[in-house]
Amino acid sequence: VWVFIAILISLLSHYLRAFRWNYLLKPLGHQVKPFNALGAVLVGYFANYGIPRMGEITRCTLVTKYDKVPFEIALGTVITERIVDTLLLLVIFVLTLFAQFSQLTSLSSQYLINPLMAKLHGVSEHPLKLVVLISVIVLVSVFLFLIRKKISNLLNSKLGSIIKGFGKGLSSIKDIDKKFQFIALSIAIWLCYFYSLYVCFFAFTGTSHLGHSECLVLMLFGTFGVIFSPGGLGAYPAIVTSLLLFYGIDKIPAFAFPWMAWTSQFVLIVVLGVLSLILLPLLNKEKKDVVS
């Protein structure tokens, strides 16, 4: 029951993201049909399970095909969404810092500071590694300096028009008519992410006592697993399992919880993503193409 509730909350977050997208497209003179927007978002998430960040390209390609939104403008608005999401992730980090300061300090020492110090100690013992690293940085800098004119000419050619369209998409946020609604939708999306994870605590006896503060930490660090691996495969469960063990959760629920949470979302996206791929071309057929 709790997992099913989590799936419904996640579905709401996908709908809100699709609905919010038109707030960015409208100032640029474009509009995406509600089902097309939702379908493109779901297919985009589905594509991310194959190649990280491929979903953004797929999503923009679909609205270019079905709603005639220029690809570079669509991509610019999606990147704007990602910038907004990053800002909200920073807000979550600050909230987590206040709620779990001592725990974050211990986590930083255990997983960041101590391993980093060990790496630096290894470099100091092998100065050749440091010399090679500095040499590579210098060579790349010199190379970019030498081809700066070619880069400039490239930007002024056909690629320049693409980048201008991309810039329009990025700048769309300042032209939004209903900025308050856009902000409210952005917060609501992340609240859905939070509670879709939080309600899963109650699916296991071993995690049912965890609260909002612990959920903030899991969501914060779990997000990085989703960003840097295809749909979070492997990375998300590994990160969340480590965090749960840090909080003293037994091994079995600590291992089962993230895989259950991740798998439920995976099944949701696969089913709805494939369904969207089937329905989008059918629902966007021109009347002249429909055979009676």
Side-chain angles (χ1 to χ4, degrees), residues 1-281:
V1 172
W2 289 112
V3 175
F4 181 71
I5 292 171
I7 288 173
L8 290 179
I9 295 172
S10 292
L11 184 57
L12 176 60
S13 76
H14 303 326
Y15 171 77
L16 292 176
R17 182 172 290 278
F19 183 75
R20 186 186 65 172
W21 196 8
N22 272 317
Y23 279 79
L24 292 171
L25 290 168
K26 191 175 179 181
L28 303 173
H30 299 284
Q31 191 85 7
V32 177
K33 296 172 187 174
F35 179 80
N36 288 355
L38 179 59
V41 168
L42 292 169
V43 173
Y45 281 127
F46 179 48
N48 277 336
Y49 284 110
I51 303 173
R53 308 274 62 86
M54 187 64 189
E56 283 78 357
I57 306 297
T58 307
R59 176 177 162 188
C60 297
T61 301
L62 287 171
V63 297
T64 298
K65 180 178 181 180
Y66 295 124
D67 292 276
K68 312 304 178 189
V69 179
F71 176 83
E72 59 272 12
I73 289 179
L75 185 59
T77 57
V78 171
I79 299 300
T80 301
E81 283 189 1
R82 292 292 173 261
I83 293 170
V84 172
D85 289 336
T86 302
L87 292 173
L88 286 171
L89 193 61
L90 288 173
V91 172
I92 291 168
F93 173 74
V94 173
L95 290 174
T96 308
L97 200 62
F98 279 105
Q100 297 271 285
F101 181 77
S102 59
Q103 289 84 350
L104 283 178
T105 304
S106 300
L107 281 168
S108 299
S109 299
Q110 185 174 341
Y111 293 106
L112 294 175
I113 297 173
N114 293 340
L116 181 61
M117 293 303 293
K119 289 282 185 184
L120 291 174
H121 181 69
V123 171
S124 64
E125 289 184 345
H126 301 87
L128 182 61
K129 292 181 180 179
L130 185 61
V131 172
V132 171
L133 179 62
I134 293 173
S135 300
V136 170
I137 293 171
V138 170
L139 286 172
V140 171
S141 301
V142 171
F143 176 74
L144 291 174
F145 178 77
L146 291 175
I147 65 167
R148 67 190 187 282
K149 288 186 178 179
K150 289 186 178 181
I151 294 173
S152 177
N153 292 333
L154 187 64
L155 292 177
N156 291 326
S157 63
K158 189 176 179 180
L159 182 61
S161 61
I162 296 175
I163 292 174
K164 285 178 183 177
F166 180 72
K168 283 183 181 178
L170 283 174
S171 63
S172 61
I173 195 166
K174 66 180 176 58
D175 300 319
I176 293 174
D177 295 330
K178 300 176 180 178
K179 290 183 173 62
F180 176 79
Q181 287 90 329
F182 180 84
I183 294 169
L185 283 170
S186 301
I187 294 171
I189 289 168
W190 279 89
L191 282 173
C192 286
Y193 293 161
F194 178 85
Y195 281 104
S196 67
L197 180 63
Y198 177 75
V199 297
C200 287
F201 284 158
F202 304 109
F204 291 93
T205 306
T207 57
S208 59
H209 65 282
L210 296 175
H212 288 76
S213 298
E214 290 82 4
C215 189
L216 274 174
V217 175
L218 297 187
M219 185 174 75
L220 177 65
F221 289 99
T223 300
F224 291 108
V226 175
I227 291 171
F228 295 113
S229 68
L233 176 61
Y236 178 86
I239 291 170
V240 175
T241 296
S242 299
L243 292 169
L244 289 173
L245 290 172
F246 174 80
Y247 281 112
I249 305 300
D250 292 335
K251 287 183 180 180
I252 292 175
F255 178 82
F257 172 85
W259 277 107
M260 178 272 300
W262 182 87
T263 303
S264 64
Q265 300 302 318
F266 174 75
V267 171
L268 172 70
I269 293 301
V270 169
V271 171
L272 295 183
V274 172
L275 192 62
S276 298
L277 280 172
I278 296 170
L279 291 177
L280 279 171

